[in-house]
Amino acid sequence: MSAPYNRVALIGLGLIAGSMALAIRRAGLAGEVTGFARSAETRDVAREIGLCDRICDSLAEVVEGADLVVLCVPVGAMEGVAREIGPHLKPGATVSDVGSVKRAVIEAVGPHLPDAVHFVPAHPLAGTEHSGPRSGFAELFEGRWTLIVPPEGADEDAVQRLETLWQGIGAHTDRMEADHHDLVLAVTSHAPHLIAYTMVGVADDLRRVTDSEVIKYSAAGFRDFTRIAASDPTMWRDVFLNNRDATLEILGRFTEELFALQRAIRTGDGDHLHAYFTRTRAIRRGIIEAGQDTDAPDFGRGKKT
Amino acid sequence: MSAPYNRVALIGLGLIAGSMALAIRRAGLAGEVTGFARSAETRDVAREIGLCDRICDSLAEVVEGADLVVLCVPVGAMEGVAREIGPHLKPGATVSDVGSVKRAVIEAVGPHLPDAVHFVPAHPLAGTEHSGPRSGFAELFEGRWTLIVPPEGADEDAVQRLETLWQGIGAHTDRMEADHHDLVLAVTSHAPHLIAYTMVGVADDLRRVTDSEVIKYSAAGFRDFTRIAASDPTMWRDVFLNNRDATLEILGRFTEELFALQRAIRTGDGDHLHAYFTRTRAIRRGIIEAGQDTDAPDFGRGKKT
């Protein structure tokens, strides 16, 4: 496969940009990968570990001559970045992003881009609970989905080039409409994260159980929640503020269901509970069959590599 | 270490009993391990894979001459088993269990045991989402906690022998009072499980997002929930019915907190969200430092062995 871009610029050097930089360079998918982060400390670390071919000290410099510019900053920071880079973008360049929310990003970023630039938003469904320039690794996207969310009338060649890049670093790609993307992610990611954050907070608040007990005896269940709840606070704040309606809709349904299960516990309705738990088991089987996870009995064991 | 028991009888040959059988025999901690399960099919599988030294076809037979009898059946089935084995227990024997709830087990089992038998309830904080006689493995308890919950006035020698057994198969042990145990577990395990079950059910109900989309794009967050929600339905039904008050208390607090976070999303209160998410991150760090999990960046990657 020939390199789809001569120069790729990554803005925001956290887990996603760092992993993209390492993966793109390893696969030889760009002539040069430039990088910029707002924080001088992050830029220093990125230089020290050789994350990109070149780390730049300004937004104007990092996008200069770039064929692809990828915004890898929290969703709430994208509008400011778009406004600043707009005048410096090369005509014919593609601007993309990796935000977990798509409608809000399209509305925030789109208006600041010149007509001669293609805007193709995207969202890689991959991550860890770690963040920062040292957290990236080239294999992050392997076997994972990246959703491409082209606005109406997007240039087909620009969309395909972006798909080629993501596939080149190991991802599967699918196209999805922005509002539907935001609903799907509210179900599969945003609501679960908020729920995990909440449960971890409750555990911490409960005075009759000490923190050390919670930590020491955090058996199956709670440990997975804490892993989720350790994710980057700024990123997640912006996700919830920018996917408000879909998240609140899902949480509303969640609360309804939870109340029904609580009622079953209170009234001793074991049949209701058993039927519910049997149904959820089948969904897990579907996920394993779809190849999104393994069947290895690691849960509750911490046998993670 | 000399074997703490001559004969150990395991009742209910699922994940926990199977793992205990394999671990006890590997470590040479008993002269003989006998096993019984109510289902003839389970007994056949246990015989086929050589899970115990001897598989028995009745409760009377499996406990005959046993120095330790461990009830490894769902919490709701323990009273019936206790009633049936009571008359067949050897004087001086110890009866224990592995139930996730302790107060209800003590009340259900205790009255059926003869005075000449020691009753030392226990709860190994280990498991996977798999169940049945083929799911056991000898390493399940290594590095995990087993909580020993001796009733008031329990025989100290009997308690220590049970601790020796658990430590011999790799577990750390701690002693805890029954009601406190049930509260700690409601926080760290029971409420998180119910929440995960609920979220997985909501995802399945939502008609505008297809099951295949949920499954295909189940990124970080939802996958961990499905793993939790795949656990044994009968076991979990019994846990909730038998730890009702503590579970409902925690769920009540959870709902309060969730409503506060929902309100912050609705009103756009980013500071509240950011502060909450920052606090939960610290709890995760505590868990890693306590050695209950690893810091490897596997979350969202499915790089599980």
Side-chain angles (χ1 to χ4, degrees):
Chain A
M1 165 171 39
S2 67
Y5 302 102
N6 286 324
R7 184 179 294 170
V8 173
L10 302 174
I11 298 174
L13 298 174
L15 168 68
I16 299 293
S19 299
M20 288 181 76
L22 296 170
I24 290 171
R25 294 170 68 200
R26 190 177 67 169
L29 290 164
E32 184 184 29
V33 175
T34 61
F36 171 79
R38 195 186 37 173
S39 140
E41 190 190 333
T42 300
R43 296 197 298 272
D44 287 344
V45 171
R47 283 192 183 101
E48 177 199 326
I49 64 178
L51 201 59
C52 299
D53 296 310
R54 182 160 55 90
I55 299 293
C56 305
D57 287 315
S58 76
L59 282 168
E61 186 188 347
V62 78
V63 303
E64 194 194 348
D67 306 289
L68 174 69
V69 175
V70 188
L71 311 180
C72 306
V73 297
V75 168
M78 288 197 188
E79 180 167 13
V81 172
R83 185 184 294 118
E84 206 171 323
I85 62 172
H88 304 283
L89 293 168
K90 177 170 125 175
T94 294
V95 170
S96 187
D97 78 305
V98 297
S100 304
V101 169
K102 294 272 72 84
R103 173 61 58 201
V105 166
I106 290 170
E107 285 172 6
V109 170
H112 298 288
L113 303 183
D115 289 342
V117 164
H118 307 295
F119 182 31
V120 187
H123 178 202
L125 306 184
T128 75
E129 70 274 31
H130 300 289
S131 47
R134 294 186 194 275
S135 62
F137 54 103
E139 301 81 11
L140 178 62
F141 308 107
E142 283 173 12
R144 296 286 150 190
W145 288 92
T146 293
L147 298 175
I148 311 286
V149 184
E152 223 173 310
D155 182 79
E156 179 60 26
D157 179 61
V159 175
Q160 286 185 14
R161 275 211 283 172
L162 188 67
E163 287 171 338
T164 300
L165 180 81
W166 278 107
Q167 290 161 10
I169 59 177
H172 307 297
T173 64
D174 256 352
R175 297 188 191 183
M176 201 178 272
E177 188 275 329
D179 292 323
H180 191 66
H181 167 277
D182 289 357
L183 181 65
V184 169
L185 268 289
V187 175
T188 57
S189 173
H190 305 169
H193 269 82
L194 195 75
I195 287 162
Y197 276 124
T198 307
M199 188 63 224
V200 173
V202 167
D204 190 48
D205 273 344
L206 198 74
R207 297 288 168 229
R208 281 183 294 144
V209 178
T210 65
D211 276 1
S212 72
E213 283 177 321
V214 167
I215 288 164
K216 209 164 145 189
Y217 307 127
S218 66
F222 192 72
R223 249 200 330 275
D224 280 9
F225 280 43
T226 63
R227 193 159 57 227
I228 298 174
S231 306
D232 183 59
T234 303
M235 175 196 150
W236 282 100
R237 177 198 64 196
D238 286 2
V239 165
F240 295 121
L241 294 179
N242 288 284
N243 196 17
R244 193 178 65 170
D245 294 347
T247 304
L248 290 177
E249 182 191 339
I250 302 303
L251 291 175
R253 298 182 71 116
F254 170 83
T255 311
E256 265 176 43
E257 290 283 334
L258 185 62
F259 282 168
L261 288 170
Q262 275 180 263
R263 191 170 177 282
I265 294 173
R266 199 181 300 278
T267 62
D269 186 352
D271 292 346
H272 180 99
L273 296 172
H274 193 274
Y276 201 95
F277 301 163
T278 302
R279 187 159 69 85
T280 58
R281 219 181 203 196
I283 301 175
R284 168 70 182 170
R285 295 215 178 97
I287 288 178
I288 293 167
E289 282 160 20
Q292 288 292 297
D293 208 342
T294 75
D295 194 31
D298 72 317
F299 175 54
R301 285 289 297 129
K303 286 203 303 187
K304 284 143 190 174
T305 53
Chain B
M1 167 172 37
S2 68
Y5 302 102
N6 287 320
R7 186 179 294 170
V8 173
L10 303 174
I11 298 175
L13 299 173
L15 167 69
I16 299 294
S19 299
M20 287 181 76
L22 296 171
I24 290 170
R25 295 170 68 199
R26 191 176 65 170
L29 290 164
E32 185 185 28
V33 176
T34 60
F36 170 79
R38 196 185 38 173
S39 141
E41 191 189 334
T42 300
R43 296 197 298 271
D44 287 344
V45 171
R47 285 193 182 100
E48 178 200 326
I49 63 178
L51 201 59
C52 299
D53 296 310
R54 183 160 54 89
I55 299 294
C56 305
D57 287 315
S58 76
L59 282 168
E61 187 188 345
V62 78
V63 303
E64 195 195 346
D67 307 289
L68 173 69
V69 175
V70 188
L71 311 181
C72 307
V73 297
V75 168
M78 287 197 189
E79 180 166 14
V81 172
R83 185 185 294 118
E84 207 172 320
I85 62 174
H88 304 284
L89 294 168
K90 176 170 126 177
T94 294
V95 171
S96 187
D97 77 304
V98 297
S100 304
V101 169
K102 294 272 70 83
R103 174 61 59 201
V105 166
I106 290 170
E107 286 173 4
V109 170
H112 299 288
L113 303 183
D115 289 342
V117 164
H118 307 295
F119 182 30
V120 187
H123 178 202
L125 306 184
T128 74
E129 70 273 32
H130 299 290
S131 47
R134 293 186 195 277
S135 61
F137 54 103
E139 301 82 11
L140 179 61
F141 309 107
E142 283 173 12
R144 297 285 150 192
W145 287 92
T146 292
L147 298 175
I148 311 286
V149 185
E152 222 173 310
D155 183 78
E156 179 60 26
D157 180 61
V159 175
Q160 286 184 11
R161 276 214 282 171
L162 189 67
E163 288 171 337
T164 301
L165 181 82
W166 279 107
Q167 290 161 9
I169 58 177
H172 308 298
T173 64
D174 256 352
R175 297 188 193 184
M176 202 178 271
E177 189 275 329
D179 292 322
H180 191 65
H181 167 277
D182 289 357
L183 180 65
V184 170
L185 268 289
V187 175
T188 57
S189 173
H190 305 169
H193 269 82
L194 196 76
I195 287 163
Y197 276 124
T198 306
M199 188 63 223
V200 172
V202 166
D204 190 48
D205 273 346
L206 198 75
R207 296 290 167 227
R208 281 182 293 145
V209 177
T210 65
D211 276 1
S212 72
E213 282 177 323
V214 167
I215 288 165
K216 209 164 144 187
Y217 308 127
S218 67
F222 192 71
R223 248 199 333 273
D224 279 8
F225 279 43
T226 64
R227 192 160 55 226
I228 299 173
S231 306
D232 184 58
T234 303
M235 174 195 151
W236 281 100
R237 176 198 65 195
D238 286 1
V239 165
F240 294 122
L241 295 179
N242 289 284
N243 196 18
R244 194 179 64 171
D245 294 347
T247 304
L248 291 176
E249 182 191 337
I250 302 304
L251 291 175
R253 298 182 71 116
F254 170 83
T255 312
E256 265 177 44
E257 289 283 335
L258 185 61
F259 283 169
L261 288 171
Q262 276 180 262
R263 190 169 178 283
I265 294 174
R266 199 182 299 280
T267 61
D269 186 350
D271 292 344
H272 180 99
L273 296 172
H274 194 275
Y276 201 95
F277 302 163
T278 301
R279 187 160 69 86
T280 59
R281 221 181 202 197
I283 301 176
R284 169 69 183 170
R285 294 214 179 99
I287 288 178
I288 292 168
E289 281 160 22
Q292 288 292 299
D293 209 343
T294 74
D295 193 33
D298 71 318
F299 175 55
R301 287 287 298 131
K303 285 203 303 187
K304 284 143 190 175
T305 52

